[in-house]
Amino acid sequence: MCFLFNDFIGYHVVALILFLAVSILVMFLNTLAVVTVAILSALTWNFLFIQPKATFNNTTPQDALLFLMYFVIAVINAVFTSLLRKLEVVALFE
């Protein structure tokens, strides 16, 4: 969907949409699956939406930093939310 509307919304908004999708998946998948999705979404975002498209080269330092930040935050979000879910389950049984 994002690829179809990329010209209208821009690649920054695409990152937010992908990040939202990863955040929602955290509620339904295990940690390994969510970390995998987070990594794949970061790579997909870089490859398909950041200029130059269809490469992993970033032409500006801002885009490189954006990619790095997206990658790190998505993985941290996945891991911490999964840990929080596990703590909630433990707390329910105590």
Side-chain angles (χ1 to χ4, degrees):
M1 284 298 280
C2 291
F3 195 73
L4 296 173
F5 297 107
N6 186 37
D7 293 336
F8 300 110
I9 61 176
Y11 68 97
H12 294 101
V13 175
V14 170
L16 294 173
I17 293 169
L18 291 174
F19 189 68
L20 176 66
V22 170
S23 298
I24 290 170
L25 287 175
V26 168
M27 294 184 281
F28 303 106
L29 301 176
N30 65 25
T31 305
L32 181 62
V34 174
V35 169
T36 303
V37 169
I39 291 168
L40 289 175
S41 72
L43 293 173
T44 300
W45 179 58
N46 190 3
F47 191 78
L48 293 178
F49 296 102
I50 296 178
Q51 293 292 339
K53 292 180 182 178
T55 68
F56 289 109
N57 295 332
N58 293 317
T59 56
T60 66
Q62 293 88 355
D63 287 340
L65 183 61
L66 248 154
F67 170 71
L68 179 65
M69 288 175 30
Y70 177 89
F71 182 78
V72 169
I73 292 170
V75 170
I76 287 173
N77 179 37
V79 170
F80 283 160
T81 306
S82 294
L83 289 174
L84 184 61
R85 281 181 38 213
K86 289 177 185 174
L87 287 174
E88 286 176 341
V89 169
V90 169
L92 286 174
F93 291 113
E94 287 185 357

